[in-house]
Amino acid sequence: MSYQQARWTEPLIFELSKPGRTAVSLPEKSPEGVNIPKKLLREQLGLPEVSEPQVVRHYTRLSQMNWSVDSGFYPLGSCTMKYNPKICEELAALETVTCVHPRQSEDTVQGALELIYKLEKYLAEIVGVSRVTLHPSAGAHGEFTGMLITRAYHKFKGEEQQRTEVIVPDSAHGTNFASAAMAGFSVVVVPSDARGRVDLDALKNAVSDRTAALMLTNPNTLGLFDDQILGITDIVHGAGGLLYYDGANLNGIMGKTRPGDMGFDIVHYNLHKTFSTPHGGGGPGSGPIGVTRELERFLPVPVVEYDRKRDHYYLDYDRPDSIGKINGFYGNFGVLVKAYAYILLMGAEGLTEAAETATLNANYIMRKLLGVKGYELKFDSGRPCKHEVVFSAEPLKRETGATAKDIAKRLLDYGVHAPTYYFPPIVHEALMIEPTETEPREELDHFVDALKAIAEEARSSPEKLRTAPHATAIGRLDEVKASREPILSWRMHKKSRPRMPTSSVEIIREMRARS
Amino acid sequence: MRVGHPYIPNTREIREQMLREMGIASIDDLFADIPEKIRLKRALKLPRAMSELEVKRHMKAMLAKNKPFTQMLSFIGGGAWPHDIPSHVQALARRSEFVTSYTPYQPEASQGMLQTLFEYQSMIAELVGLDVANASMYDWASALGEAALTCARITRRKRFLIPKLISPERRVTLQTYVVGPGLEVAEIGYDRKTGRLDLSQLRAQLGQDVAGVYVENPSYLGFLETQVEEMSDAAHKAGALFVVGVNPISLGLLKAPGDYGADIVVGEGQPLGNPVSFGGPYLGIFACRGEMKLVRQMPGRLIGMTTTLEGGKRGYCMVLATREQHIRHERATSNICTNNALCAVSAAIYLASLGPQGLRGVAERCAANASYAMKKLNAIHGLKAPIFDAPHFNEFTLNCDGTRMSIEKLNSKLLERGIQGGISLRREFPELGETALLCTTELHSREDIDRLAEELEEIVGGQR
């Protein structure tokens, strides 16, 4: 093990500024002046002034201080950090994608509409739904859209006033609660049973004629497939509610089972997880949703339709029961191009192989780590998991005082990104590990060895964990202060001086003084 | 030996070996907990897997049915604006350390993304004249929806006022966003001569129930609102928040909304170094005054500056996460999680590259081109450009009531000549007659505009 991230003392771009510098050249000005009264014009603009080589060096250095899938293993649970094929980036960068305007005449965007139409069909087949919309910009946006469709459905049936509750398991992703609330529902939480599944008795008690929907991810956030799923769908449907599928955890079941066949009415996808479009440091993603035939009428406008006779794709706005629009145009088209390419590259066989291998890799880590002192499974040990596995580091904490966070930070020193930790909340000292199918076995072995070594370190040299990470661009930050006295921009920073070392020169001087 | 999959390093042989070591007979055993009834017993019905070469050929052919504006002269804008993206901006934003990273949950290993986003927030703050900008929303329309919800949370009021002259995309998205808390969205009319928001109507509508007043500057139809201070005063007097929507390029020239009383600024960050890409991914700008009363109600991720625990080094991390869904669940300020961070990276690099002079230069060229185009087109018999007597930025209206042609007909004649005309406003604003919305940016040369004028002259003239 030998890892060291780049460690530049890189000032803010504002601190590189000198009057008169620029990184662009512009075409000659039109002889017509600007015809805007002076009182509407601004007097000054506080942007930095830097040259092109400086901009390039600055952001290249910053990029070198950023962990990514292309840098190494990224087993962040529920985030499906799989490798993103480069060809997808190349295709999304074509001029026939980037230079096409969303309001161009239909005749000039037939390729884009065809891609949308076909991608919808492929995605519908993968999860077993009737129709898909590609509009939502991210997973949570898809959830919000799904909840608005739930509302529209109950309104259509004359039960909008009555059906005000959405049921969410205690192990759910945080977005589920927030999306339901944003659509105006109140949230009812159901507990998990001893095996990490939805507690069926509690669910029976929770449903009523107020139930609008249940939001569920299966496999759940423990990585376990809820084998009582058909009982769950019966209970919710029996009470008149809809079933919403959170697609964050789809990667372990593609080609093996389909949410639509489980009885879900609304299914969302995270194209930036399962379908390998990159995460871009937090986005852009894409969160399409698929629905049953009964719910198609509520999908956002416009819907892409195909006129076979004219061999012509078109945008259909004439959908009176639609929930409306959830963003400006038709979704993150540049992201959709990558997902479409990925599905063609994988085919049915490839997607199934991905799901099987992702599941195998997670189980491999589970088996290798099971019995290692310091880590344990809280729920249903021994049962196979799917795309991810959640260990508890509670035994190690009891024994040595080291927390899941300490372990996660120390993993960074081993050249591995931390797993998701402290989630799901039903597992104390949780380490949520999702290896995906794109890691070689050697990497999985290295990860397990690192966790073993860290458990040993927690006993022999606990200081190494408490002060980790050491090999990253920077050590642990004062996150409490960052939120208590927030400095959110250069403007605020300038006002708050001199609480903070301000320039690289000062930082270096202070560092020297300290050492 | 069977050749493995290019993206799956564990070959069938390796997988079998792993299974053997785990004491598992078959991969199917790992899926045995899926009830028999819902197991998929057939292959998914998808096209067969293709090689990279085949995918490239297939998709390039399909996408070649699109006509990009690089292959035809286009004057389409209306909320998505084509601009030149300097080569180094694209090269840097495409670095895979940025592209293939997740949300920076481990700040120690993600300083690059965090500092870049902090710089993005900082440059947007300078541009709009407010202290705080978040690390991005999906796009302008959804940012507007979130702004209305934010105003309602802060004021505990339920009415939100918007201009009648607004893009249908934004209006409908806003309506969809406010369904949850049941806000009422009301429209304020405009002055028929200048297009400006009708101040007396605004004052009449402002009551104790109004959470926010929203105006766009430049407006959807390109003219500038010249009474923004009055609007801001009126809103504040009624206890409402003042929200301004912007095309950020215009702020290279125009007064910052924070300097005329805006509490919240939203806008479309796409023109800052992001391509139009058939509608997305774009960049929702969301900024507000630095008062904690507002900041605590803000949606989305915020990056803050701090120091290392031992105090010696400056660093960046996500802050005020207690507003967000993963901590606050159903009491979060928004459900947003994944945002459009990479588009914000492009915007940061774009703004840093242009600087104050460069952005001013781009804005001047956009506006000067529009100014020239209006002069040329207005000189054509039967055409009027613009229809409003007001200063304009880079978009303007073109009316052809003086010809016997509909605006759609005019546009289709232009398209026959290889020119994409403006957006027809006939369905959106029938009261404006046969009118289209046209856009110019720095991409247009004087010759491009001359060509548009010549073709229009011929089309209209041939008609007489």
Side-chain angles (χ1 to χ4, degrees):
Chain A
M1 185 277 289
S2 172
Y3 168 71
Q4 176 60 58
Q5 190 176 39
R7 188 176 281 173
W8 299 102
T9 302
E10 192 60 24
L12 281 167
I13 191 84
F14 293 90
E15 293 162 307
L16 297 170
S17 181
K18 287 278 181 301
R21 280 183 183 150
T22 184
V24 295
S25 54
L26 294 172
E28 212 178 318
K29 255 191 217 175
S30 149
E32 320 296 313
V34 172
N35 221 344
I36 298 173
K38 197 153 182 269
K39 72 159 197 154
L40 302 181
L41 301 178
R42 77 188 301 155
E43 273 155 21
Q44 67 88 40
L45 173 55
L47 292 178
E49 295 177 78
V50 281
S51 60
E52 181 171 330
Q54 291 178 296
V55 170
V56 170
R57 198 166 283 165
H58 177 68
Y59 290 106
T60 299
R61 286 177 172 185
L62 290 183
S63 78
Q64 288 168 345
M65 294 192 282
N66 208 50
W67 190 261
S68 65
V69 173
D70 286 2
S71 327
F73 192 28
Y74 215 136
L76 200 59
S78 271
C79 300
T80 317
M81 294 299 283
K82 59 169 78 176
Y83 173 72
N84 315 121
K86 297 299 167 204
I87 178 184
C88 302
E89 297 299 313
E90 184 183 323
L91 290 166
L94 291 173
E95 265 192 7
T96 47
V97 174
T98 56
C99 297
V100 178
H101 193 285
R103 296 196 70 170
Q104 273 179 222
S105 66
E106 247 166 42
D107 288 338
T108 66
V109 297
Q110 286 295 302
L113 296 177
E114 181 179 346
L115 187 145
I116 288 175
Y117 188 82
K118 289 186 168 160
L119 179 57
E120 281 180 3
K121 294 270 179 284
Y122 300 159
L123 290 174
E125 162 68 8
I126 291 167
V127 304
V129 291
S130 173
R131 188 83 204 234
V132 169
T133 175
L134 304 177
H135 288 220
S137 306
H141 209 209
E143 292 177 12
F144 179 49
T145 309
M147 287 297 101
L148 291 174
I149 288 175
T150 300
R151 232 186 127 114
Y153 165 79
H154 291 303
K155 187 177 180 183
F156 190 75
K157 293 182 68 183
E159 296 182 351
E160 190 194 22
Q161 299 303 320
Q162 161 199 337
R163 296 204 176 262
T164 55
E165 293 176 357
V166 166
I167 303 172
V168 181
D170 58 358
S171 62
H173 297 121
T175 46
N176 289 182
F177 305 86
S179 300
M182 208 164 145
F185 292 111
S186 53
V187 176
V188 177
V189 179
V190 288
S192 305
D193 71 7
R195 291 179 61 191
R197 307 173 300 184
V198 173
D199 185 322
L200 277 193
D201 288 328
L203 180 63
K204 277 178 202 154
N205 287 330
V207 296
S208 71
D209 57 7
R210 293 187 304 279
T211 303
L214 167 73
M215 297 179 90
L216 190 67
T217 175
N218 192 22
N220 62 21
T221 55
L222 295 164
L224 300 174
F225 192 87
D226 198 321
D227 53 6
Q228 303 184 108
I229 184 62
L230 295 173
I232 294 170
T233 50
D234 277 352
I235 292 169
V236 177
H237 280 157
L242 294 176
L243 275 122
Y244 179 92
Y245 183 86
D246 172 341
N249 298 349
L250 192 65
N251 201 46
I253 59 166
M254 271 185 302
K256 309 302 279 185
T257 180
R258 307 191 302 172
D261 298 340
M262 298 175 204
F264 284 93
D265 303 286
I266 308 173
V267 178
H268 100 242
Y269 310 73
N270 289 84
L271 298 188
H272 49 290
K273 297 181 180 179
T274 322
F275 296 92
S276 194
T277 73
H279 289 64
S286 175
I289 59 165
V291 296
T292 56
R293 190 165 302 281
E294 199 181 4
L295 299 177
E296 280 184 29
R297 63 196 315 141
F298 307 116
L299 289 174
V301 284
V303 171
V304 176
E305 297 286 7
Y306 177 55
D307 181 344
R308 205 167 296 275
K309 262 185 265 159
R310 291 199 298 144
D311 184 25
H312 181 82
Y313 294 90
Y314 63 99
L315 294 166
D316 180 12
Y317 283 90
D318 187 17
R319 321 258 309 179
D321 298 319
S322 163
I323 58 161
K325 286 186 70 61
I326 48 150
N327 52 17
F329 298 102
Y330 327 114
N332 286 342
F333 184 71
V335 177
L336 303 179
V337 170
K338 299 177 199 180
Y340 180 84
Y342 179 73
I343 291 174
L344 291 188
L345 290 161
M346 299 299 281
E349 201 188 330
L351 291 178
T352 309
E353 188 175 341
E356 288 179 350
T357 311
T359 297
L360 172 65
N361 289 353
N363 278 282
Y364 181 78
I365 288 175
M366 182 172 89
R367 291 289 169 115
K368 287 249 164 174
L369 206 54
L370 209 55
V372 174
K373 200 170 154 229
Y375 308 106
E376 67 180 9
L377 293 171
K378 282 285 181 193
F379 291 95
D380 218 13
S381 0
R383 216 178 114 202
C385 61
K386 291 293 165 290
H387 62 296
E388 67 194 357
V389 59
V390 179
F391 273 90
S392 168
E394 209 175 13
L396 193 66
K397 187 180 179 189
R398 270 199 308 267
E399 186 194 338
T400 69
T403 63
K405 182 175 176 178
D406 294 335
I407 297 165
K409 298 291 182 198
R410 183 63 180 150
L411 267 171
L412 300 172
D413 290 337
Y414 283 78
V416 172
H417 194 274
T420 301
Y421 56 86
Y422 299 147
F423 187 85
I426 56 172
V427 175
H428 295 300
E429 300 301 316
L431 291 169
M432 187 194 216
I433 303 155
E434 182 177 9
T436 83
E437 72 279 11
T438 62
E439 292 304 323
R441 174 191 180 153
E442 298 88 311
E443 198 62 52
L444 308 178
D445 288 335
H446 170 66
F447 176 69
V448 172
D449 289 343
L451 279 174
K452 284 181 188 166
I454 291 169
E456 278 313 311
E457 286 174 346
R459 295 172 190 114
S460 60
S461 39
E463 201 51 25
K464 272 190 190 158
L465 272 72
R466 250 196 304 280
T467 54
H470 310 276
T472 46
I474 200 166
R476 277 198 213 190
L477 293 163
D478 191 342
E479 298 185 48
V480 175
K481 180 176 76 182
S483 280
R484 208 172 32 214
E485 305 158 29
I487 299 171
L488 305 171
S489 61
W490 173 244
R491 277 163 76 102
M492 288 176 87
H493 170 60
K494 281 191 292 186
K495 289 180 201 167
S496 77
R497 274 182 199 185
R499 275 198 348 237
M500 196 75 61
T502 46
S503 71
S504 56
V505 180
E506 277 179 63
I507 295 167
I508 293 165
R509 197 185 301 135
E510 286 193 23
M511 277 162 58
R512 286 207 183 117
R514 221 170 295 270
S515 58
Chain B
M1 185 182 274
R2 184 177 175 271
V3 177
H5 193 287
Y7 318 135
I8 303 179
N10 288 338
T11 61
R12 179 171 292 184
E13 285 70 27
I14 297 172
R15 298 203 295 266
E16 276 161 9
Q17 209 181 335
M18 289 164 75
L19 284 167
R20 266 199 307 279
E21 280 176 33
M22 294 158 70
I24 292 169
S26 139
I27 190 83
D28 290 333
D29 293 357
L30 297 178
F31 296 91
D33 49 358
I34 298 175
E36 177 70 23
K37 203 180 149 192
I38 52 169
R39 271 183 224 164
L40 188 65
K41 295 177 193 80
R42 59 166 176 84
L44 290 167
K45 289 175 196 148
L46 295 173
R48 64 164 182 87
M50 292 183 200
S51 66
E52 293 205 352
L53 183 60
E54 288 169 303
V55 169
K56 257 185 232 180
R57 275 192 197 132
H58 163 83
M59 287 184 65
K60 280 183 180 171
M62 178 197 270
L63 291 163
K65 295 175 205 166
N66 293 336
K67 201 148 189 204
F69 60 74
T70 42
Q71 290 171 24
M72 67 176 166
L73 186 53
S74 169
F75 292 90
I76 291 253
W81 302 281
H83 286 278
D84 182 50
I85 305 173
S87 304
H88 72 274
V89 174
Q90 307 212 20
L92 290 168
R94 284 178 191 163
R95 284 187 66 92
S96 76
E97 295 92 334
F98 288 136
V99 174
T100 72
S101 63
Y102 199 74
T103 304
Y105 286 129
Q106 301 302 320
E108 302 88 347
S110 308
Q111 281 300 296
M113 181 54 75
L114 286 161
Q115 184 173 333
T116 305
L117 292 175
F118 182 83
E119 292 179 357
Y120 163 78
Q121 291 176 180
S122 299
M123 286 188 261
I124 295 295
E126 296 294 337
L127 206 53
V128 303
L130 296 169
D131 275 352
V132 182
N134 75 12
S136 76
M137 309 295 286
Y138 309 133
D139 67 357
W140 186 356
S142 56
L144 171 59
E146 292 273 15
L149 298 177
T150 304
C151 290
R153 280 195 302 273
I154 292 170
T155 61
R156 299 171 188 274
R157 298 176 177 188
K158 290 212 152 187
R159 249 159 78 80
F160 192 71
L161 305 182
I162 63 167
K164 184 168 191 313
L165 294 180
I166 181 179
S167 98
E169 280 93 6
R170 283 195 289 284
R171 195 188 62 236
V172 178
T173 304
L174 171 64
Q175 296 278 7
T176 312
Y177 258 77
V178 300
V179 162
L183 308 189
E184 185 204 336
V185 176
E187 288 177 1
I188 307 293
Y190 58 95
D191 180 77
R192 289 304 294 264
K193 188 164 165 286
T194 61
R196 288 191 313 219
L197 192 86
D198 185 330
L199 256 185
S200 56
Q201 246 192 65
L202 171 65
R203 291 197 177 108
Q205 287 266 9
L206 270 166
Q208 293 303 303
D209 56 347
V210 175
V213 173
Y214 175 66
V215 298
E216 299 187 341
N217 197 26
S219 70
Y220 173 52
L221 300 186
F223 59 84
L224 300 180
E225 291 286 359
T226 51
Q227 297 174 298
V228 277
E229 275 96 355
E230 289 87 339
M231 294 173 202
S232 162
D233 288 346
H236 290 143
K237 209 173 280 171
L241 293 167
F242 186 47
V243 185
V244 179
V246 296
N247 168 355
I249 296 285
S250 72
L251 296 178
L253 265 180
L254 301 179
K255 204 178 260 186
D259 291 346
Y260 53 79
D263 301 294
I264 295 174
V265 171
V266 293
E268 182 49 73
Q270 169 270 322
L272 305 176
N274 289 285
V276 291
S277 290
F278 199 54
Y282 285 178
L283 171 61
I285 291 173
F286 196 110
C288 74
R289 283 193 286 117
E291 252 172 76
M292 285 317 282
K293 186 178 93 174
L294 269 76
V295 178
R296 288 203 187 283
Q297 289 300 332
M298 211 178 182
R301 220 163 265 153
L302 286 166
I303 312 302
M305 183 193 275
T306 185
T307 57
T308 46
L309 270 178
E310 98 297 342
K313 251 186 126 182
R314 188 202 277 174
Y316 306 87
C317 63
M318 299 199 280
V319 297
L320 299 170
T322 48
R323 299 164 301 115
E324 291 187 69
Q325 46 77 29
H326 60 285
I327 310 273
R328 194 53 70 83
H329 280 186
E330 63 271 27
R331 285 170 296 138
T333 55
S334 167
N335 71 336
I336 191 169
C337 181
T338 289
N339 55 19
N340 284 25
L342 194 65
C343 302
V345 168
S346 295
I349 303 170
Y350 180 84
L351 286 171
S353 298
L354 268 74
Q357 298 310 322
L359 192 66
R360 189 191 173 90
V362 169
E364 277 173 354
R365 281 159 182 79
C366 292
N369 279 340
S371 181
Y372 179 62
M374 285 186 278
K375 193 176 91 184
K376 291 284 282 189
L377 303 188
N378 200 46
I380 299 170
H381 186 79
L383 297 185
K384 187 168 165 50
I387 59 171
F388 295 119
D389 181 15
H392 285 64
F393 177 55
N394 73 325
E395 294 187 271
F396 61 91
T397 38
L398 171 70
N399 176 284
C400 66
D401 281 343
T403 71
R404 277 169 296 160
M405 223 178 275
S406 72
I407 195 71
E408 269 92 6
K409 183 81 185 164
L410 197 77
N411 272 343
S412 71
K413 291 261 182 201
L414 277 173
L415 201 57
E416 281 169 22
R417 293 160 187 249
I419 299 177
Q420 176 75 61
I423 294 165
S424 165
L425 298 173
R426 222 167 49 146
R427 237 170 284 159
E428 299 172 18
F429 303 106
E431 74 270 25
L432 300 181
E434 300 294 336
T435 300
L437 174 66
L438 280 79
C439 158
T440 57
T441 71
E442 83 283 6
L443 291 180
H444 295 94
S445 65
R446 201 180 165 86
E447 292 72 39
D448 290 336
I449 294 163
D450 289 342
R451 194 181 142 210
L452 172 69
E454 281 156 26
E455 300 287 5
L456 276 172
E457 176 102 62
E458 263 187 49
I459 292 166
V460 173
Q463 236 253 322
R464 270 203 306 272

